[in-house]
Amino acid sequence: MTKHIPVMLDECLKAFEGERLQYFFDGTLGAGGHASAILGAHPEIEIYIGCDQDPVAIGIATETLINFESKLKIVRSNHVEIEKILKELGIHQIDGCLLDLGVSSMQLDEDIRGFSFQKEGPLDMRMDPSQKLTAKEIINSYSEKDLGRIFREYGEEKLWRRGAKAIVEARKKKRFETTTELAELISQSLPRTKQKLHPATLIFQALRICVNRELETLEGTLKKAIEVLRPGGKIAVISFHSLEDRIVKNVFRAASEPLKNLQGMKIAEPVLENLTKKPLLPSRSQISRNRRSRSAKLRIARKI
Ligand SMILES: C[S@@+](CC[C@H](N)C(=O)[O-])C[C@H]1O[C@@H](n2cnc3c(N)ncnc32)[C@H](O)[C@@H]1O
């Protein structure tokens, strides 16, 4: 299994440098790379809540973070449950929050998880294996119209219509079972002029976002996390594609402006100071060490 290299780690550490962190919420624990560095840099942390919906990630992080066992509360959950998780731990406010979105290298690497079009595996793509909906169900049972909408909205795939039609035609003869069956059909059906991306990249991205309801949960989590941050506390979010980044940008922007009523009158003060008007990007040397970081964007904000 490929070891997950934490993305924009130095930039994340810098974001929390000098801050007094007592309670920290890491909504995407993964292999615990960011967690290990943040815990190392902040001995004052009393409780580090590491949340991940993937039991495999939880297992790996538990081993990685064995030296910090006494401060760690590892929770297998979706980060959108942040309020419930904190309530169960008796924590009212947090001093810092990190979300490092998307999939980990371990998830991409395990063919059985079905995330990668480069590895033969079942069409699955669930981060939380206890969830019912899989990519296979979407591909084999959703209407052409719904498939098209998913490819257009979650993949920003220009050839969404053609992709959906090809899938619906092909499944009349045989149900799709594996990632490579789908990747091959997409390669044959979607002609590409610029061959920078594999033809199935955007379709696979769209399916993964849909299976895991990634965009809906992200917006919910951000709003709830801002609410539970203490004044002065910081939130840092690393996103990996424009749809995610747009949500982070919009939620941060809305919270950084005064709330107005329909007549344009101010009814509430802003609750957030946006510290990155433009997102931070990984350095060239980081990208050459870790290709997965090439599309990363980091946004940071502070609760007022
Ligand atoms: C990019 S990895 C995080 C890597 C981690 N920062 C590290 O350094 O090892 C993203 C992780 O977040 C998890 N994840 C993604 N969306 C989630 C959600 N809505 N709730 C909980 N975990 C989620 C995935 O299962 C994956 O393990």
Side-chain angles (χ1 to χ4, degrees), residues 4 6 27-34 52-54 57 77-79 100-104 107 127 217 292:
H4 182 90
T28 50
L29 185 64
H34 284 97
D52 203 295
Q53 58 184 338
D54 182 347
S77 174
N78 193 303
H79 50 57
D100 172 20
L101 303 169
V103 274
S104 66
Q107 289 166 330
M127 290 188 195
T217 50
R292 219 185 72 81

Side-chain angles (χ1 to χ4, degrees), residues 286-298:
Q286 176 168 182
I287 296 172
S288 64
R289 271 180 282 124
N290 182 11
R291 242 183 87 68
R292 219 185 72 81
S293 69
R294 69 193 183 283
S295 47
K297 288 187 176 152
L298 170 63

Side-chain angles (χ1 to χ4, degrees), residues 13 23 33 52 59 63 111 113 115 128 132 134 178 182 194 206 226-227 230 234 239 266 274 289 303:
L13 287 175
Y23 302 127
D52 203 295
E63 272 181 35
D111 39 16
R113 306 294 300 265
F115 284 105
D128 171 2
K132 271 184 89 182
T134 62
T178 67
L182 178 63
K194 287 188 221 136
I226 292 169
E227 211 148 281
R230 70 150 162 81
K234 278 184 174 174
S239 62
K266 188 160 94 176
N274 195 351
R289 271 180 282 124
K303 180 86 175 266

Side-chain angles (χ1 to χ4, degrees), residues 138-165:
I138 294 174
I139 286 294
N140 287 312
S141 69
Y142 280 25
S143 67
E144 185 175 328
K145 189 170 160 223
D146 283 344
L147 287 174
R149 182 186 53 78
I150 291 166
F151 301 156
R152 191 184 65 227
E153 282 180 16
Y154 298 152
E156 298 185 312
E157 168 59 78
K158 292 201 175 63
L159 302 174
W160 56 271
R161 210 186 295 268
R162 198 185 288 215
K165 192 170 187 331

Side-chain angles (χ1 to χ4, degrees), residues 4-7 9 26-36 51-55 57-58 61 75-81 98-107 113 115 127-128 212-214 217-218 221 238 240 292:
H4 182 90
I5 306 172
V7 168
L9 181 58
D26 178 341
T28 50
L29 185 64
H34 284 97
S36 172
C51 163
D52 203 295
Q53 58 184 338
D54 182 347
I58 297 274
V75 187
R76 182 179 160 192
S77 174
N78 193 303
H79 50 57
V80 77
E81 303 291 344
L98 173 69
L99 297 174
D100 172 20
L101 303 169
V103 274
S104 66
S105 307
M106 293 93 66
Q107 289 166 330
R113 306 294 300 265
F115 284 105
M127 290 188 195
D128 171 2
N212 297 291
R213 303 188 65 240
E214 291 178 31
T217 50
L218 174 59
T221 302
I238 305 170
F240 288 89
R292 219 185 72 81

Side-chain angles (χ1 to χ4, degrees), residues 77-142:
S77 174
N78 193 303
H79 50 57
V80 77
E81 303 291 344
I82 178 168
E83 285 169 324
K84 188 167 151 235
I85 296 169
L86 295 179
K87 198 166 168 213
E88 277 169 11
L89 292 169
I91 296 172
H92 304 294
Q93 283 192 322
I94 52 173
D95 305 288
C97 176
L98 173 69
L99 297 174
D100 172 20
L101 303 169
V103 274
S104 66
S105 307
M106 293 93 66
Q107 289 166 330
L108 277 175
D109 217 44
E110 284 285 281
D111 39 16
I112 189 110
R113 306 294 300 265
F115 284 105
S116 171
F117 49 78
Q118 284 160 335
K119 292 176 189 285
E120 169 138 36
L123 264 175
D124 189 321
M125 300 197 192
R126 289 170 301 172
M127 290 188 195
D128 171 2
S130 68
Q131 168 192 308
K132 271 184 89 182
L133 183 65
T134 62
K136 195 189 287 184
E137 186 176 335
I138 294 174
I139 286 294
N140 287 312
S141 69
Y142 280 25

